[in-house]
Amino acid sequence: MRAAVTTAPGRMEVREVPAPAPGPGEALVRVEVAGICGSDLHFFEGRNPYANYPQTQGHEFSGRVVAFGDAAGAATSAVRVGQRVSVEPLLPCGDCYPCRKGRPNCCTRLKVLGVHTAGAFAEYVSVPVGTLYAADDLDADLTALVEPLSIGMQVVTRGQVGGEDTVAVYGAGMIGQAVLACAADRGARVLVVDRVPARLELARALGAERVVDAGSEDGVAAILDWTEGDGAAVVVDATGAPAVIRAAVDAVAFAGRIVIVGISVQEVSLPIPEFTRKELTILGSRNNAGVFGQALDLVRRHGERLRTLVTQRYPLDRAPEAIDFVLHHPAEAEKVLLDVAPPERGA
């Protein structure tokens, strides 16, 4: 089969590789569309500490079930051969403390499709049957958006976002937009801060009540003005920038929540008095824990609006070019898709 293989940091090539054979409890999926994630860029550039090369990346995708590895797997699967599926790409151990507490998203031995095992930048991928979600009612593009939307769903779940809340989201990349979509779906009022006008316009189209251009307007002042001095009930960092996390402490309401989903290796200094004075709740958010189905439902209900998140697409044979485009044109690339096995139009 064809696969886009990252052979070393900064190097990707499309080559012929052996097709996977599903084992017991696994299904073979023919990949239709795969999305390029920010974490794919980290892996490609050699900034993922768990990266091993060569590796086939890709964990956001749609596909169709081709076969099951055994009769038992077929019998226990919620899907059948031929169905379109979205795939939850997490492979937890099931035994460690977070797994035992029902939080396998932060499993101490977590493996992720496309990082630790061969992923979806290929014509076929083998996955556990329990990771499959039927999506026959969606097209291939929308099905591929479910996984990144699940990241936003985890954020609003961690932040306990409800209909009475004001939510300020720093960062209007794909994850920030996912948070916006999930929070707005819960009835919250949402403000989005970013430096890229095109991303802010997209946020407005997705339901942001107010957008703030951080290049010309102070985000904290705008949030305080928007909330009539209260501060936002929930502030979400989807940037990983220390300055933004520091600003969140000033922008959040007393008794408010800060949720950090942005990824960074940097450290941040925070004022200790504000922890007690505001009685803050500061939370991390990683992957998703049991909310993948909710993300799928959100895409079903708001698919046409969410489709605007797709900004570019490339065939699998041009995957190296697609990665290069995302790396060097971040302001233009919201969600870039690879057409691996393009379905018929309208399918």
Side-chain angles (χ1 to χ4, degrees), residues 2-343:
R2 292 179 309 142
V5 181
T6 303
T7 58
R11 293 180 58 191
M12 176 184 285
E13 60 184 56
V14 179
R15 57 165 69 161
E16 293 287 323
V17 302
E26 294 183 336
L28 183 65
V29 176
R30 179 173 175 80
V31 179
E32 293 180 308
V33 171
I36 297 175
C37 174
S39 63
D40 290 318
L41 304 183
H42 297 156
F43 189 104
F44 177 78
E45 293 183 307
R47 294 188 287 123
N48 185 320
Y50 306 107
N52 288 302
Y53 305 92
Q55 183 61 280
T56 301
Q57 296 180 236
H59 61 274
E60 307 174 359
F61 66 104
S62 60
R64 290 190 182 274
V65 177
V66 174
F68 292 98
D70 62 350
T76 58
S77 175
V79 303
R80 64 184 185 276
V81 169
Q83 279 194 288
R84 176 170 288 141
V85 292
S86 185
V87 179
E88 187 171 13
L90 308 181
L91 306 170
C93 75
D95 297 322
C96 67
Y97 175 75
C99 282
R100 297 196 308 270
K101 296 294 289 183
R103 295 173 65 179
N105 57 313
C106 48
C107 167
T108 60
R109 295 186 287 274
L110 182 67
K111 293 183 179 180
V112 179
L113 203 69
V115 177
H116 307 89
T117 64
F121 292 173
E123 292 179 318
Y124 295 93
V125 64
S126 185
V127 298
V129 296
T131 64
L132 302 174
Y133 287 76
D136 274 337
D137 52 330
L138 298 175
D139 63 30
D141 286 7
L142 291 179
T143 303
L145 292 179
V146 174
E147 196 283 333
L149 264 294
S150 75
I151 308 302
M153 192 65 70
Q154 178 71 6
V155 169
V156 300
T157 301
R158 291 282 285 159
Q160 298 181 321
V161 173
E164 301 300 317
D165 285 326
T166 50
V167 178
V169 180
Y170 278 91
M174 180 63 209
I175 299 307
Q177 303 283 6
V179 173
L180 158 62
C182 294
D185 187 59
R186 292 188 173 199
R189 298 168 55 211
V190 186
L191 174 150
V192 176
V193 184
D194 201 279
R195 294 179 176 274
V196 180
R199 288 182 171 180
L200 292 174
E201 286 306 307
L202 179 56
R204 194 185 301 276
L206 286 176
E209 181 177 298
R210 180 168 172 178
V211 297
V212 178
D213 187 339
S216 59
E217 189 175 359
D218 180 75
V220 172
I223 292 166
L224 292 175
D225 174 69
W226 178 61
T227 59
E228 299 181 344
D230 284 343
V234 181
V235 178
V236 176
D237 164 62
T239 71
V244 169
I245 296 171
R246 173 61 186 87
V249 175
D250 295 329
V252 72
F254 281 66
R257 290 93 73 196
I258 297 172
V259 185
I260 301 170
V261 68
I263 298 174
S264 173
V265 297
Q266 301 180 71
E267 296 185 359
V268 60
S269 178
L270 299 175
I272 294 175
E274 296 301 275
F275 282 70
T276 52
R277 190 168 75 96
K278 287 188 170 182
E279 199 175 46
L280 295 178
T281 300
I282 301 181
L283 301 152
S285 184
R286 181 185 181 190
N287 302 317
N288 91 92
V291 298
F292 199 87
Q294 295 178 39
L296 176 57
D297 176 66
L298 178 70
V299 175
R300 284 185 169 123
R301 290 184 289 106
H302 300 295
E304 291 311 307
R305 183 163 52 179
L306 295 170
R307 194 186 299 279
T308 60
L309 291 168
V310 178
T311 48
Q312 293 85 21
R313 63 193 315 130
Y314 292 78
L316 178 63
D317 288 341
R318 292 171 59 194
E321 181 184 343
I323 289 282
D324 184 75
F325 179 85
V326 179
L327 281 171
H328 293 99
H329 301 86
E332 300 173 43
E334 194 69 53
K335 178 54 59 183
V336 176
L337 298 181
L338 296 178
D339 289 314
V340 181

